[in-house]
Every structure is written in C-alpha cells, then in structure tokens.
Coordinates of all heavy atoms in Angstrom, one line a residue:
I1 N 0.8 -1.2 0.0 CA 0.0 0.0 0.0 C 0.9 1.3 0.0 O 0.6 2.2 -0.7 CB -0.9 0.0 1.2 CG1 -2.0 -1.1 1.0 CG2 -1.6 1.4 1.4 CD1 -3.0 -1.3 2.2
K2 N 2.0 1.2 0.7 CA 2.9 2.4 0.8 C 3.5 2.6 -0.6 O 3.7 3.8 -1.0 CB 4.0 2.2 1.9 CG 3.5 2.3 3.3 CD 4.6 2.0 4.2 CE 4.2 2.1 5.6 NZ 5.3 1.9 6.6
I3 N 3.8 1.6 -1.3 CA 4.4 1.7 -2.6 C 3.4 2.1 -3.7 O 3.7 3.0 -4.5 CB 5.1 0.3 -3.0 CG1 6.3 0.0 -2.0 CG2 5.6 0.4 -4.4 CD1 6.9 -1.4 -2.3
A4 N 2.2 1.5 -3.7 CA 1.3 1.8 -4.7 C -0.1 2.0 -4.1 O -1.0 1.2 -4.3 CB 1.3 0.7 -5.7
P5 N -0.4 3.1 -3.4 CA -1.7 3.3 -2.8 C -2.9 3.5 -3.8 O -4.0 3.5 -3.3 CB -1.4 4.6 -2.0 CG -0.3 5.3 -2.7 CD 0.5 4.3 -3.2
F6 N -2.5 3.7 -5.0 CA -3.5 4.0 -6.1 C -4.2 2.7 -6.6 O -5.1 2.7 -7.3 CB -2.9 4.8 -7.2 CG -1.6 4.2 -7.7 CD1 -1.6 3.1 -8.6 CD2 -0.4 4.7 -7.2 CE1 -0.4 2.6 -9.0 CE2 0.8 4.1 -7.6 CZ 0.8 3.1 -8.6
L7 N -3.6 1.5 -6.3 CA -4.1 0.3 -6.7 C -5.4 -0.2 -6.0 O -5.6 0.2 -4.8 CB -3.0 -0.8 -6.7 CG -1.8 -0.7 -7.5 CD1 -0.8 -1.8 -7.2 CD2 -2.1 -0.6 -8.9
S8 N -6.2 -1.0 -6.6 CA -7.3 -1.6 -5.9 C -6.8 -2.6 -4.9 O -5.6 -3.0 -5.0 CB -8.2 -2.3 -6.9 OG -7.6 -3.5 -7.4
Y9 N -7.7 -2.9 -3.9 CA -7.3 -3.9 -2.9 C -6.8 -5.2 -3.5 O -5.9 -5.8 -3.1 CB -8.3 -4.1 -1.9 CG -7.9 -5.0 -0.7 CD1 -7.1 -4.6 0.2 CD2 -8.4 -6.4 -0.7 CE1 -6.7 -5.4 1.2 CE2 -7.9 -7.2 0.3 CZ -7.1 -6.7 1.3 OH -6.7 -7.5 2.3
R10 N -7.5 -5.7 -4.5 CA -7.2 -6.9 -5.1 C -5.8 -6.9 -5.8 O -4.9 -7.8 -5.6 CB -8.2 -7.3 -6.2 CG -8.0 -8.7 -6.9 CD -9.1 -8.9 -7.9 NE -8.8 -10.2 -8.5 CZ -9.7 -10.8 -9.4 NH1 -10.8 -10.1 -9.7 NH2 -9.4 -11.9 -10.0
E11 N -5.5 -5.7 -6.4 CA -4.2 -5.6 -7.0 C -3.1 -5.4 -5.9 O -2.0 -5.9 -6.2 CB -4.3 -4.3 -7.9 CG -5.1 -4.4 -9.2 CD -5.3 -3.2 -9.9 OE1 -5.4 -2.1 -9.2 OE2 -5.4 -3.2 -11.2
I12 N -3.4 -4.8 -4.9 CA -2.6 -4.6 -3.7 C -2.1 -5.9 -3.2 O -0.9 -6.3 -2.9 CB -3.1 -3.7 -2.6 CG1 -3.1 -2.3 -3.0 CG2 -2.4 -4.0 -1.3 CD1 -1.7 -1.6 -3.0
V13 N -3.1 -6.9 -3.0 CA -2.8 -8.2 -2.4 C -1.9 -9.0 -3.4 O -1.0 -9.6 -3.0 CB -4.2 -9.0 -2.1 CG1 -3.8 -10.4 -1.9 CG2 -4.9 -8.3 -1.1
Q14 N -2.2 -8.9 -4.7 CA -1.4 -9.6 -5.7 C 0.0 -9.0 -5.7 O 1.0 -9.8 -5.8 CB -2.0 -9.5 -7.1 CG -1.3 -10.3 -8.2 CD -1.4 -11.8 -7.8 OE1 -2.4 -12.3 -7.5 NE2 -0.2 -12.4 -8.0
L15 N 0.1 -7.7 -5.6 CA 1.5 -7.1 -5.6 C 2.3 -7.6 -4.3 O 3.4 -7.9 -4.3 CB 1.3 -5.6 -5.5 CG 2.7 -4.8 -5.4 CD1 3.6 -5.1 -6.5 CD2 2.4 -3.3 -5.2
A16 N 1.5 -7.6 -3.2 CA 2.1 -8.0 -2.0 C 2.6 -9.5 -2.1 O 3.7 -9.9 -1.6 CB 1.2 -7.9 -0.8
R17 N 1.7 -10.3 -2.6 CA 2.1 -11.7 -2.8 C 3.4 -11.9 -3.7 O 4.3 -12.6 -3.2 CB 0.9 -12.5 -3.5 CG 1.2 -13.9 -3.9 CD 0.2 -14.4 -4.8 NE -1.1 -14.6 -4.2 CZ -1.6 -15.7 -3.6 NH1 -0.8 -16.8 -3.7 NH2 -2.7 -15.7 -3.1
N18 N 3.4 -11.2 -4.8 CA 4.6 -11.3 -5.6 C 5.8 -10.7 -5.0 O 6.9 -11.4 -5.1 CB 4.3 -10.5 -6.9 CG 3.2 -11.2 -7.8 OD1 2.9 -12.4 -7.6 ND2 2.5 -10.4 -8.7
Q19 N 5.7 -9.7 -4.3 CA 6.9 -9.0 -3.6 C 7.4 -10.0 -2.6 O 8.6 -10.2 -2.5 CB 6.6 -7.7 -3.1 CG 6.4 -6.6 -4.1 CD 6.0 -5.3 -3.4 OE1 5.4 -5.3 -2.3 NE2 6.4 -4.2 -4.0
F20 N 6.5 -10.5 -1.8 CA 6.9 -11.4 -0.7 C 7.5 -12.7 -1.2 O 8.7 -13.1 -0.8 CB 5.7 -11.8 0.2 CG 6.0 -12.9 1.2 CD1 6.5 -12.5 2.4 CD2 5.7 -14.2 1.0 CE1 6.8 -13.5 3.4 CE2 6.1 -15.2 1.9 CZ 6.6 -14.8 3.2
Q21 N 6.9 -13.3 -2.2 CA 7.5 -14.7 -2.7 C 8.8 -14.4 -3.4 O 9.7 -15.2 -3.3 CB 6.4 -15.3 -3.6 CG 5.2 -15.8 -2.9 CD 4.3 -16.7 -3.7 OE1 3.6 -17.5 -3.1 NE2 4.3 -16.6 -5.0
N22 N 8.9 -13.3 -4.2 CA 10.1 -13.1 -4.9 C 11.3 -12.8 -4.0 O 12.3 -13.3 -4.2 CB 10.0 -11.9 -5.9 CG 9.0 -12.3 -7.1 OD1 8.9 -13.4 -7.4 ND2 8.4 -11.3 -7.7
A23 N 11.0 -11.9 -2.9 CA 12.0 -11.6 -2.0 C 12.4 -12.8 -1.1 O 13.6 -13.0 -0.8 CB 11.6 -10.4 -1.1
G24 N 11.4 -13.5 -0.7 CA 11.7 -14.7 0.1 C 12.5 -15.8 -0.6 O 13.5 -16.4 -0.1
R25 N 12.1 -15.9 -1.9 CA 13.0 -16.8 -2.8 C 14.4 -16.4 -2.9 O 15.3 -17.2 -2.8 CB 12.3 -17.0 -4.2 CG 13.1 -17.7 -5.2 CD 12.4 -17.9 -6.5 NE 13.3 -18.4 -7.5 CZ 12.9 -18.9 -8.7 NH1 11.6 -18.8 -9.1 NH2 13.8 -19.4 -9.6
R26 N 14.6 -15.0 -3.1 CA 16.0 -14.5 -3.2 C 16.8 -14.8 -2.0 O 17.9 -15.2 -2.1 CB 15.9 -13.0 -3.5 CG 15.6 -12.7 -5.0 CD 16.0 -11.2 -5.3 NE 15.2 -10.3 -4.5 CZ 14.0 -9.8 -4.8 NH1 13.4 -10.2 -5.9 NH2 13.4 -8.9 -4.0
F27 N 16.1 -14.6 -0.8 CA 16.9 -14.8 0.5 C 17.3 -16.3 0.5 O 18.4 -16.5 1.0 CB 16.0 -14.4 1.6 CG 16.4 -13.1 2.2 CD1 15.7 -11.9 1.8 CD2 17.3 -12.9 3.2 CE1 16.1 -10.7 2.2 CE2 17.6 -11.7 3.8 CZ 17.0 -10.5 3.2
M28 N 16.4 -17.2 0.2 CA 16.7 -18.6 0.4 C 17.6 -19.1 -0.7 O 18.6 -19.8 -0.4 CB 15.4 -19.4 0.4 CG 14.5 -19.1 1.6 SD 13.0 -20.1 1.6 CE 13.6 -21.6 2.1
E29 N 17.4 -18.6 -2.0 CA 18.3 -19.0 -3.0 C 19.7 -18.6 -2.8 O 20.7 -19.3 -3.0 CB 17.8 -18.5 -4.3 CG 16.7 -19.3 -5.0 CD 16.3 -18.8 -6.4 OE1 16.4 -17.5 -6.6 OE2 16.0 -19.5 -7.3
R30 N 19.8 -17.3 -2.5 CA 21.2 -16.7 -2.4 C 21.9 -17.3 -1.3 O 23.1 -17.4 -1.3 CB 21.1 -15.2 -2.4 CG 20.5 -14.5 -3.6 CD 21.5 -14.6 -4.8 NE 22.7 -13.9 -4.5 CZ 22.8 -12.6 -4.7 NH1 21.8 -11.8 -5.1 NH2 24.0 -12.0 -4.4
T31 N 21.2 -17.5 -0.2 CA 21.8 -18.0 1.0 C 22.4 -19.4 0.9 O 23.5 -19.7 1.2 CB 20.9 -18.0 2.3 OG1 20.4 -16.6 2.5 CG2 21.6 -18.5 3.5
I32 N 21.6 -20.3 0.3 CA 22.0 -21.7 0.1 C 23.1 -21.7 -0.9 O 24.1 -22.6 -0.9 CB 20.9 -22.7 -0.1 CG1 21.4 -24.1 0.1 CG2 20.3 -22.5 -1.6 CD1 20.2 -25.1 0.1
S33 N 23.0 -20.9 -2.0 CA 24.0 -20.8 -3.0 C 25.3 -20.4 -2.5 O 26.4 -20.9 -2.8 CB 23.6 -19.9 -4.2 OG 22.4 -20.5 -4.8
L34 N 25.3 -19.4 -1.5 CA 26.5 -18.9 -0.8 C 27.1 -20.1 -0.1 O 28.4 -20.3 -0.2 CB 26.1 -17.8 0.1 CG 27.3 -17.3 1.0 CD1 28.4 -16.6 0.2 CD2 26.7 -16.4 2.1
G35 N 26.3 -20.8 0.6 CA 26.9 -22.0 1.4 C 27.5 -23.0 0.5 O 28.6 -23.4 0.8
L36 N 26.9 -23.4 -0.6 CA 27.4 -24.3 -1.5 C 28.7 -23.8 -2.1 O 29.7 -24.6 -2.3 CB 26.4 -24.6 -2.6 CG 25.2 -25.5 -2.2 CD1 24.1 -25.4 -3.1 CD2 25.7 -27.0 -1.9
G37 N 28.7 -22.5 -2.4 CA 29.9 -22.0 -3.0 C 31.1 -21.9 -2.0 O 32.3 -22.2 -2.4
E38 N 30.8 -21.5 -0.8 CA 31.9 -21.4 0.2 C 32.3 -22.8 0.7 O 33.5 -23.0 1.0 CB 31.3 -20.6 1.4 CG 31.1 -19.1 1.1 CD 32.4 -18.4 1.0 OE1 33.3 -18.5 1.8 OE2 32.5 -17.7 -0.1
R39 N 31.4 -23.7 0.9 CA 31.7 -25.0 1.5 C 31.1 -26.1 0.7 O 30.1 -26.8 1.1 CB 31.3 -25.1 3.0 CG 32.0 -24.1 3.9 CD 33.6 -24.4 3.9 NE 34.2 -23.5 4.9 CZ 34.7 -22.3 4.6 NH1 34.6 -21.9 3.3 NH2 35.3 -21.6 5.5
P40 N 31.6 -26.4 -0.6 CA 30.9 -27.4 -1.4 C 31.0 -28.8 -0.9 O 30.3 -29.7 -1.4 CB 31.7 -27.2 -2.7 CG 33.0 -26.6 -2.3 CD 32.7 -25.8 -1.1
S41 N 31.9 -29.1 0.1 CA 32.1 -30.4 0.6 C 30.8 -30.8 1.5 O 30.6 -31.9 1.8 CB 33.3 -30.6 1.5 OG 33.3 -29.7 2.6
R42 N 30.1 -29.7 2.0 CA 28.9 -29.9 2.8 C 27.7 -30.1 2.0 O 27.5 -29.5 0.8 CB 28.8 -28.7 3.8 CG 29.9 -28.6 4.7 CD 29.9 -29.8 5.7 NE 31.1 -29.9 6.4 CZ 31.1 -29.8 7.8 NH1 30.0 -29.6 8.4 NH2 32.3 -29.9 8.5
R43 N 26.8 -30.9 2.5 CA 25.4 -31.1 1.9 C 24.5 -30.1 2.5 O 24.2 -30.3 3.7 CB 25.0 -32.5 1.9 CG 26.0 -33.4 1.1 CD 25.6 -34.8 1.0 NE 26.6 -35.4 0.1 CZ 26.7 -36.8 0.0 NH1 25.8 -37.6 0.6 NH2 27.6 -37.3 -0.8
W44 N 24.0 -29.2 1.8 CA 23.2 -28.1 2.3 C 21.8 -28.3 2.0 O 21.3 -28.7 0.9 CB 23.6 -26.8 1.6 CG 25.0 -26.3 2.1 CD1 26.2 -26.6 1.6 CD2 25.2 -25.3 3.1 NE1 27.2 -26.0 2.2 CE2 26.6 -25.1 3.1 CE3 24.4 -24.4 3.8 CZ2 27.2 -24.2 3.9 CZ3 25.0 -23.5 4.7 CH2 26.4 -23.4 4.7
G45 N 20.9 -27.9 3.0 CA 19.4 -27.8 2.8 C 18.8 -27.1 3.9 O 19.4 -26.7 4.9
F46 N 17.5 -26.9 3.7 CA 16.7 -26.2 4.8 C 15.9 -27.3 5.6 O 15.3 -28.2 5.1 CB 15.7 -25.3 4.1 CG 16.3 -24.0 3.7 CD1 16.9 -23.9 2.4 CD2 16.4 -22.8 4.5 CE1 17.5 -22.7 1.9 CE2 16.9 -21.6 4.0 CZ 17.5 -21.6 2.7

C-alpha cells in the first residue's frame, strides 16, 4: 500500500504476494548458493 496506494485492494494483495514470494525466494536461493559456494564439501538444505 505504501508503494502503490492507487491500486485496488485486489491488485494490492497480488502485488504483496509477488513481492513477498520473490524476496523470500531470493533470500533462500542466495543463502544456500552462498553456502554451497563457500563449502561445497557440505550437503546443504533447509
């Protein structure tokens, strides 16, 4: 809502969903990729 207050509520929810999932994915992807890159001898997972 702070980013795009002009959108409808339905559009706001969709925007929030996309932002959350994309950012969450980046945190998890980049973190485990970092681990694998730094210590490839370890088997990494969540």
Side-chain angles (χ1 to χ4, degrees):
I1 289 173
K2 288 182 180 179
I3 294 175
F6 48 84
L7 295 178
S8 69
Y9 183 74
R10 182 176 180 180
E11 291 171 325
I12 285 289
V13 172
Q14 188 59 47
L15 175 62
R17 173 194 292 266
N18 292 339
Q19 289 179 330
F20 174 83
Q21 292 192 156
N22 290 337
R25 173 175 173 172
R26 283 195 299 271
F27 260 89
M28 296 181 74
E29 275 185 328
R30 295 288 299 277
T31 302
I32 197 169
S33 295
L34 173 68
L36 285 164
E38 290 291 308
R39 298 294 185 267
S41 65
R42 294 297 167 116
R43 293 185 178 169
W44 289 82
F46 284 86

